[in-house]
Amino acid sequence: MNILVTGGAGYIGSHTCIELLDAGFNPIVFDNLSNSSTIALDRVEEITGKKITFIRGDVRDSEALDQVFSQHDIYAVIHFAGLKAVGESVEKPIMYYDNNVSGSITLFASMERNNITRIIFSSSATVYGDPASVPITENFPTSTTNPYGGSKLIIEDVLKNIYVAHQDWNIALLRYFNPVGAHESGLIGEDPSDIPNNLMPYISGVAVGKLDKLSIFGDDYPTADGTGVRDYIHVVDLAKGHVKALQAFENKAVDNLYTVNLGTGKGYSVLEMVEAFKKASGKDIAYQITSRRAGDIACCYADPSYAKELIDWEATKGIQAMCDDTWRWQSNNPLGYK
Ligand code: NAD
Ligand code: WQD
């Protein structure tokens, strides 16, 4: 079965292609390469021994999408394509809404024209804003503080409205917590094009000597050690969640539109992540405590039990595997795919 994977050359998309191939699906990657490299796909082919069809294209290009849907018999779409840097979204809101929202609407319109009715969407725990408590369940209220999160909430709403009009569509809204780690081969991983915004690539950049020292954004949060707590999830576990979500479309007990958290249910602080990475890499991680980063929250972790109940998915990899695999990728590829 062919699966159109928008943004499939990116970090989560490339790992998902491996899991799709292993499960017998045939990913067709559609990506404009704005934040990725086809080398990732070459490596996926090396890991799996299978071929991937790659189409360079933009999800805002309806003709290109119509062409893909008419040339290939597509069973479902997994929609990763999007921009994801929170800070950049505050500076360039129009670019973010155009790429993420307009791109998604163009994609959904092309799906509708071509009678493609199954879609898995990459949403984010950012839609919970600053949660009143933890762990977070799917029925918590949603809110956003930045255009990136705003784009995710709008796209979720558009898909919910599409479902009202087309109840035969199958729509999965997957809310990822904090994806980290890399494939255990060390051949693919996260490759930020600029100075990383996220914690894990920053820590690994310091460990490999590319970056001087980590700034820890605040140690005065109401958490055990004062630093922010997050639910880090191994990208391979996350990738497997997409295969489960696809398979659940065939399960008549699952609603045609569903929302699930993909997280581990465990929270780790910044300092705990630094310690775990030191252990994995054998390197010292220089850091300094600085002021809080605007928009950050103290603590965020999932209640992942609904994903287990509904799509039979749960995370299996712990913090040490997350750090070991990140380090294997980072130390074998200090310049990423360059
Ligand atoms: P990524 O940047 O590595 O992958 C996104 C891919 O989409 C890239 O290959 C990029 O070239 C492509 N792309 C962007 N705009 C496009 C467009 N208009 N047309 C075609 N291709 C386009 O990011 P990722 O970490 O793999 O994230 C994948 C998805 O998951 C994104 O939608 C992101 O918002 C979401 N998400 C990511 C995280 C995270 O922390 N990584 C957390 C929650 C949700
Ligand atoms: C984690 C913790 C920081 C960097 C973001 C997006 C979210 C989702 C995942 C896409 C926090 C601290 C970080 C650093 C630090 N992405 N930190 N020094 O902010 O939880 O989530 O990525 O959907 O939408 O907001 O992840 O990795 O940036 O931060 O101290 O250099 O590490 O303060 O406590 P975050 P993160």
Side-chain angles (χ1 to χ4, degrees):
M1 273 194 268
N2 293 326
I3 310 296
L4 184 70
V5 187
T6 75
Y11 172 46
I12 305 171
S14 55
H15 288 81
T16 301
C17 285
I18 294 179
E19 301 306 321
L20 287 170
L21 287 163
D22 283 354
F25 293 100
N26 179 37
I28 296 177
V29 170
F30 185 89
D31 197 306
N32 67 1
L33 301 180
S34 58
N35 195 36
S36 52
S37 159
T38 52
I39 299 172
L41 299 177
D42 298 340
R43 304 261 177 104
V44 169
E45 291 184 342
E46 188 182 334
I47 291 164
T48 59
K50 294 179 181 158
K51 291 302 259 183
I52 288 197
T53 305
F54 171 66
I55 299 158
R56 185 168 186 168
D58 193 297
V59 287
R60 289 164 296 183
D61 181 346
S62 53
E63 270 177 38
L65 288 168
D66 281 348
Q67 205 176 355
V68 175
F69 288 129
S70 61
Q71 285 175 354
H72 303 269
D73 182 15
I74 303 286
Y75 171 77
V77 177
I78 305 183
H79 180 32
F80 292 110
L83 301 173
K84 63 166 180 177
V86 172
E88 185 184 53
S89 81
V90 175
E91 276 151 35
K92 299 177 179 168
I94 298 171
M95 182 170 102
Y96 268 68
Y97 284 113
D98 177 43
N99 195 82
N100 294 4
V101 178
S102 305
S104 297
I105 291 173
T106 306
L107 170 68
F108 306 153
S110 179
M111 289 175 63
E112 186 184 49
R113 274 194 300 280
N114 291 280
N115 292 317
I116 313 294
T117 59
R118 297 180 192 88
I119 179 152
I120 295 176
F121 173 59
S122 300
S123 190
S124 165
T126 195
V127 301
Y128 296 115
D130 191 355
S133 61
V134 280
I136 299 168
T137 57
E138 289 80 356
N139 55 12
F140 268 39
T142 54
S143 66
T144 71
T145 52
N146 58 72
Y148 168 71
S151 76
K152 291 292 175 193
L153 264 186
I154 293 171
I155 300 162
E156 283 201 4
D157 279 345
V158 171
L159 284 167
K160 287 174 188 168
N161 292 343
I162 290 175
Y163 177 65
V164 172
H166 298 300
Q167 301 210 350
D168 57 323
W169 279 43
N170 287 109
I171 300 171
L173 307 177
L174 306 184
R175 293 178 175 162
Y176 314 154
F177 280 66
N178 288 58
V180 297
H183 190 261
E184 63 176 7
S185 62
L187 286 171
I188 63 168
E190 188 167 9
D191 181 22
S193 53
D194 216 334
I195 296 172
N197 301 303
N198 295 114
L199 179 66
M200 192 64 142
Y202 209 106
I203 292 180
S204 64
V206 173
V208 84
K210 270 199 306 194
L211 298 164
D212 274 356
K213 68 166 94 137
L214 170 73
S215 291
I216 296 184
F217 300 141
D219 66 351
D220 56 352
Y221 284 104
T223 59
D225 63 25
T227 65
V229 168
R230 296 291 183 275
D231 186 337
Y232 296 95
I233 172 168
H234 197 294
V235 65
V236 171
D237 275 333
L238 190 63
K240 289 180 196 290
H242 294 74
V243 174
K244 288 287 190 180
L246 262 184
Q247 291 165 340
F249 285 157
E250 297 309 312
N251 180 350
K252 296 296 167 232
V254 175
D255 284 344
N256 280 10
L257 174 113
Y258 64 87
T259 305
V260 288
N261 287 338
L262 296 184
T264 66
K266 292 187 197 72
Y268 289 98
S269 73
V270 178
L271 285 170
E272 285 174 321
M273 293 305 282
V274 168
E275 273 315 304
F277 207 87
K278 267 190 190 171
K279 204 168 135 198
S281 63
K283 303 280 179 188
D284 195 30
I285 314 288
Y287 68 81
Q288 60 183 353
I289 307 289
T290 63
S291 52
R292 293 181 180 192
R293 181 171 65 178
D296 269 356
I297 57 177
C299 183
C300 170
Y301 57 91
D303 177 340
S305 53
Y306 190 53
K308 174 71 183 154
E309 184 191 321
L310 196 73
I311 64 170
D312 187 31
W313 173 89
E314 65 188 328
T316 59
K317 291 173 183 282
I319 187 173
Q320 215 49 55
M322 299 179 206
C323 294
D324 288 347
D325 293 340
T326 302
W327 180 238
R328 194 172 303 110
W329 153 252
Q330 179 73 87
S331 52
N332 289 348
N333 307 270
L335 301 177
Y337 294 117
K338 281 164 222 73

